[in-house]
Amino acid sequence: FDEACSCLWAALQDGFPSHPLPMACEAATIELRGESDVYDPLAEGDAQALLRFLVGRGYLSSQALTLLPVRDSAGPGVVPKAVPLSGVDMIEASVCGVLAWRVKAGDVVTEGQLLGEIVNIEDPDAPRVPIITRTAGIVFGVRRHKLARPGEICIKVAGDVPLPWRTGHP
C-alpha cells in the first residue's frame, strides 16, 4: 500500500531532522467501493473525483475535468482532501449479529455519531448494539456481508486527525 513507498522518506526525515529531506514520492490508496456498488453513476462520480484530485495536485491539467460528465454532488473544482492513514477509524464489531447501517459510503459523519447497529440474531427484540465512530470524517469500507463476528472490521471512517490507538507515521 501507499505507506510502503512513503514510510522510508518519513523515517529518514525523523532520523535526520537537521537535514531538509523532501518526500521523494507521493503515494495514495484508492478505495474502489465494494462488489455491490457497481453502478454507472457511482463510477462516473468517482472518476470525476479522482480527476479533480489529480488536477488539484498538479498532475493533470484542468482540461482533464471535461473528460467525463459531472454527476456527483461535489461539483467541479472540489478536490478531495488526503487524510493520514493513522486518522482512519477501523471500527470492529463488538458482538456477533446482523449489521443494520444508518450511513453509507461517502457520508460525512461527526465524532460520536451512530453509524449503525448490530442486531442480535438469537433475539431480534433484544436491544441493538450501537456502532459509533470515534472520529469525524468520511465513511468508506462499509462491510458488504451483513453477518459480523466480534473483532471483525465492519466499517471505516477517514478522519483528519491521527488517532492515538493507530501507530505509524501520520
Side-chain angles (χ1 to χ4, degrees), residues 89 109-114 132-137 157 161 163 165:
D89 190 6
V109 296
T110 59
E111 181 179 352
Q113 182 173 335
L114 178 67
I132 307 289
T133 182
R134 298 168 289 183
T135 190
V157 176
V161 180
L163 303 170
W165 58 89

Side-chain angles (χ1 to χ4, degrees), residues 45-91:
D46 289 347
Q48 275 292 338
L50 182 56
L51 286 174
R52 287 193 307 271
F53 174 79
L54 294 171
V55 167
R57 288 292 180 117
Y59 299 124
L60 296 176
S61 75
S62 59
Q63 185 178 9
L65 296 175
T66 63
L67 296 177
L68 296 173
V70 175
R71 291 189 189 207
D72 64 334
S73 61
V78 178
V79 178
K81 181 172 53 173
V83 299
L85 189 58
S86 59
V88 174
D89 190 6
M90 302 173 87
I91 303 166

Side-chain angles (χ1 to χ4, degrees), residues 16-27:
F16 299 96
S18 61
H19 300 291
L21 292 170
M23 293 297 279
C25 67
E26 290 190 57

